[in-house]
Amino acid sequence: MQIKKRYFGLRIRFTLLVSALLFLTFVIIAFFLVRNAQSTDIRNINADSRAFSSLATPQIGNTYEIYSTSGSIIIDQQIQTFLSLDGNISNVAVIGLNGKTDFRSDPNSSLLPVGNTNGFNPKYSYNSDGLISQVVVPYLDNSGQHPYSIAYKINASVLAKDNQKQIKDIILFSIIGLIITALIMYELIYRLYVKPVELMSRQAIYISQGNYGASMNTSRHDEIGDLAASVNTMSERLKADILSLREVDRLKTEFINITSHNLRTPLTIMQGNIQLLNSSDLPKDVVEALHNIEQSSSQLAGFAEDMLNISTIEAGQSVADRTSTTLEDLVKDLREKFSPMAEEKGLKLDWQIHEPDTKVNVAIKYTKATIRCLLDNAVKFTEKDGSVKCRLSVEDNSLKIVIEDSGIGISTEEQTKLFTKFHRGTDTLTYNYTGTGIGLYVAKLMTESQHGTIKAHSEQGTGSIFTVTIPGVS
């Protein structure tokens, strides 16, 4: 098992999560900071505007009262003196009680409508941001009379610019703080949690590849340390279980080999003696008994041969040595065996050999055994008056063997288990056929030992098609 490349691994997901949480946190903090700064600035600026207008009104009013008839130069000088104290004031005007403007420090700057100025309380005009944009303060002379009011126009754009600068500073420092905090948190949590988990993941994969002697560091006294200890314990138990299973498998293979070898010799002797007896004149009932004995011993010999082949192939002790032969010679003895069997059962067995003299380089023993297994199943599971076809051909430097029958077919559920060891059809209440359940498994092993493939296509009630392909036969 290899470590897969992940586009969204634990590290990236963690980084995105931390970044998102920090970004949300800093956005909320920055939002409240900006709102608080705006409110504070507005309160401070408005307070300054009120204080300035209250302070400047008596002085400007007195100056205007004294010098209004003699000229405006001294009045301008006095107003400019006050304007130099507050750069946000863009225009100062003297408003009569009738609302008429008697004097303006900046003739090019218009005032907001002031309305009636007969009252003794200041009048304030606000812009959309809540800032005072104009203040009108009643002037009272030394005798307590109210001859006019002083209007102050406040430059809102200057105030807004100052406010925006503060907002930009807050946002800039928030972004810097966000980046620094994210890096610090990422480094700390990565070193404390993510990195140990990544190391454990790699070590677990290393152990899963069969390196059961490897172990994880359990020096941490937290949940990660507990997990590492659990993985180590699991690895030790798995190692012990695998060693035990290997020993059981070795004993099983040894038992099968011994049993198969010990069966083959007496079965060969029995079959030889049966053939000698068949050549002599014997009563009919004895001949029939010998025929039954011969069939049973042949089945037992086939089973012993299959078990021996399974154990040797699975153990890697068998090599599929290839030998040159013709397609006709490959199935000659199979014709002699299965044609009478099919005829006896009332089946039509059709042999379709494309160019019989074509030579192929295959493991003859394994290839014949595979064809024998597939034909045996086809004849067994095809009822009377059915048909079985065996087609052999060479296509694209590959031997292609197709066994097709019109038998009972195989259900979809069963097809997934066809080539497993000791599997037989589960519908035994309907179909009662003899068999060990290893034929197709052996056929698969023998085919794959030649780097070939075996496939099945079937529908229940319509028959089956088995296709074997063995490459590199020329």
Side-chain angles (χ1 to χ4, degrees):
M1 179 180 178
Q2 296 181 347
I3 298 177
K4 297 180 180 179
K5 182 179 179 182
R6 298 178 177 89
Y7 293 100
F8 294 98
L10 183 61
R11 185 185 303 184
I12 294 178
R13 293 180 184 180
F14 169 75
T15 303
L16 292 175
L17 178 61
V18 170
S19 300
L21 291 176
L22 287 176
F23 177 78
L24 180 61
T25 302
F26 273 86
V27 165
I28 294 173
I29 293 174
F31 174 75
F32 284 104
L33 285 176
V34 168
R35 287 198 61 181
N36 184 61
Q38 285 179 325
S39 299
T40 302
D41 287 344
I42 290 172
R43 286 196 302 270
N44 293 337
I45 292 171
N46 288 343
D48 291 342
S49 298
R50 293 188 182 95
F52 177 83
S53 62
S54 298
L55 174 66
T57 295
Q59 305 298 327
I60 295 175
N62 291 336
T63 301
Y64 182 77
E65 185 177 12
I66 295 171
Y67 298 102
S68 60
T69 57
S70 59
S72 61
I73 296 176
I74 297 177
I75 299 174
D76 284 336
Q77 291 176 348
Q78 181 71 12
I79 290 176
Q80 291 301 323
T81 301
F82 280 98
L83 291 179
S84 64
L85 299 177
D86 191 342
N88 294 326
I89 305 299
S90 62
N91 197 1
V92 177
V94 178
I95 309 296
L97 297 180
N98 56 2
K100 181 180 178 181
T101 302
D102 297 329
F103 176 84
R104 282 191 300 182
S105 63
D106 185 2
N108 298 320
S109 177
S110 60
L111 297 173
L112 298 174
V114 297
N116 191 346
T117 61
N118 292 330
F120 289 89
N121 294 319
K123 298 174 65 176
Y124 302 98
S125 299
Y126 297 87
N127 64 9
S128 59
D129 295 326
L131 289 169
I132 296 176
S133 57
Q134 184 171 282
V135 182
V136 179
V137 181
Y139 166 71
L140 301 177
D141 59 17
N142 294 331
S143 62
Q145 297 297 316
H146 172 30
Y148 44 80
S149 297
I150 308 298
Y152 303 88
K153 186 175 182 182
I154 302 170
N155 192 349
S157 61
V158 174
L159 298 176
K161 187 178 295 185
D162 293 339
N163 188 253
Q164 289 176 0
K165 183 178 182 304
Q166 290 185 357
I167 293 174
K168 289 180 180 178
D169 291 341
I170 292 173
I171 293 175
L172 176 61
F173 285 112
S174 296
I175 293 174
I176 295 174
L178 171 63
I179 294 173
I180 294 174
T181 306
L183 290 175
I184 293 174
M185 287 189 64
Y186 170 79
E187 187 66 21
L188 289 175
I189 299 181
Y190 175 73
R191 287 181 178 274
L192 292 175
Y193 301 104
V194 178
K195 187 176 181 179
V197 171
E198 285 184 347
L199 292 175
M200 288 182 61
S201 176
R202 294 177 182 273
Q203 194 72 359
I205 292 175
Y206 184 68
I207 293 174
S208 69
Q209 294 172 342
N211 303 290
Y212 304 110
S215 62
M216 296 184 178
N217 183 12
T218 58
S219 59
R220 293 177 61 119
H221 301 288
D222 56 11
E223 288 79 359
I224 293 179
D226 294 340
L227 179 59
S230 299
V231 172
N232 288 339
T233 302
M234 180 185 66
S235 176
E236 291 297 326
R237 291 180 179 177
L238 187 61
K239 180 180 178 181
D241 291 341
I242 289 176
L243 291 175
S244 177
L245 289 174
R246 286 177 178 173
E247 179 62 17
V248 171
D249 187 65
R250 185 190 67 79
L251 294 174
K252 179 263 300 180
T253 302
E254 183 177 349
F255 171 77
I256 291 175
N257 285 333
I258 294 173
T259 304
S260 300
H261 280 293
N262 288 334
L263 281 174
R264 291 174 71 185
T265 300
L267 285 172
T268 301
I269 296 174
M270 289 174 59
Q271 290 174 337
N273 289 329
I274 290 172
Q275 290 177 358
L276 288 175
L277 291 172
N278 281 334
S279 62
S280 59
D281 295 332
L282 294 172
K284 183 178 179 181
D285 55 344
V286 175
V287 171
E288 185 176 348
L290 288 174
H291 177 70
N292 293 334
I293 295 173
E294 183 179 15
Q295 284 188 330
S296 298
S297 62
S298 178
Q299 290 178 355
L300 188 57
F303 175 74
E305 184 70 21
D306 287 341
M307 294 302 298
L308 188 60
N309 286 329
I310 288 175
S311 61
T312 53
I313 293 175
E314 286 183 339
Q317 300 173 354
S318 176
V319 179
D321 293 325
R322 297 197 177 203
T323 307
S324 180
T325 184
T326 64
L327 295 182
E328 179 63 33
D329 290 339
L330 192 61
V331 296
K332 182 178 180 181
D333 54 344
L334 295 175
R335 279 178 182 264
E336 295 174 355
K337 176 181 179 180
F338 283 98
S339 293
M341 288 176 57
E343 184 178 353
E344 181 180 352
K345 194 176 178 181
L347 304 177
K348 179 183 179 182
L349 179 55
D350 185 15
W351 298 86
Q352 299 176 1
I353 316 298
H354 182 67
E355 297 183 359
D357 295 332
T358 300
K359 288 193 173 183
V360 291
N361 193 31
V362 295
I364 297 177
K365 174 184 175 182
Y366 285 175
T367 306
K368 283 187 175 182
T370 299
I371 299 173
R372 173 180 58 79
C373 169
L374 297 178
L375 282 174
D376 185 63
N377 283 342
V379 172
K380 182 189 302 181
F381 294 108
T382 303
E383 298 177 348
K384 185 178 180 180
D385 298 327
S387 64
V388 177
K389 296 178 182 178
C390 178
R391 297 194 296 270
L392 275 73
S393 61
V394 176
E395 302 176 9
D396 298 327
N397 196 32
S398 297
L399 172 61
K400 187 174 183 180
I401 304 167
V402 180
I403 308 296
E404 182 179 355
D405 64 68
S406 61
I408 61 177
I410 308 168
S411 66
T412 304
E413 294 78 11
E414 295 291 339
Q415 290 185 40
T416 58
K417 309 171 188 176
L418 274 180
F419 300 101
T420 56
K421 193 189 300 185
F422 298 116
H423 171 72
R424 299 180 65 206
T426 56
D427 196 4
T428 55
L429 294 177
T430 305
Y431 305 109
N432 185 17
Y433 298 101
T434 60
T436 59
I438 62 172
L440 290 178
Y441 179 70
V442 175
K444 180 176 181 288
L445 289 181
M446 291 179 174
T447 301
E448 290 181 346
S449 68
Q450 303 181 73
H451 308 291
T453 59
I454 180 170
K455 298 179 181 179
H457 174 74
S458 179
E459 293 182 8
Q460 201 163 14
T462 60
S464 304
I465 301 175
F466 285 83
T467 304
V468 176
T469 303
I470 302 174
V473 299
S474 298

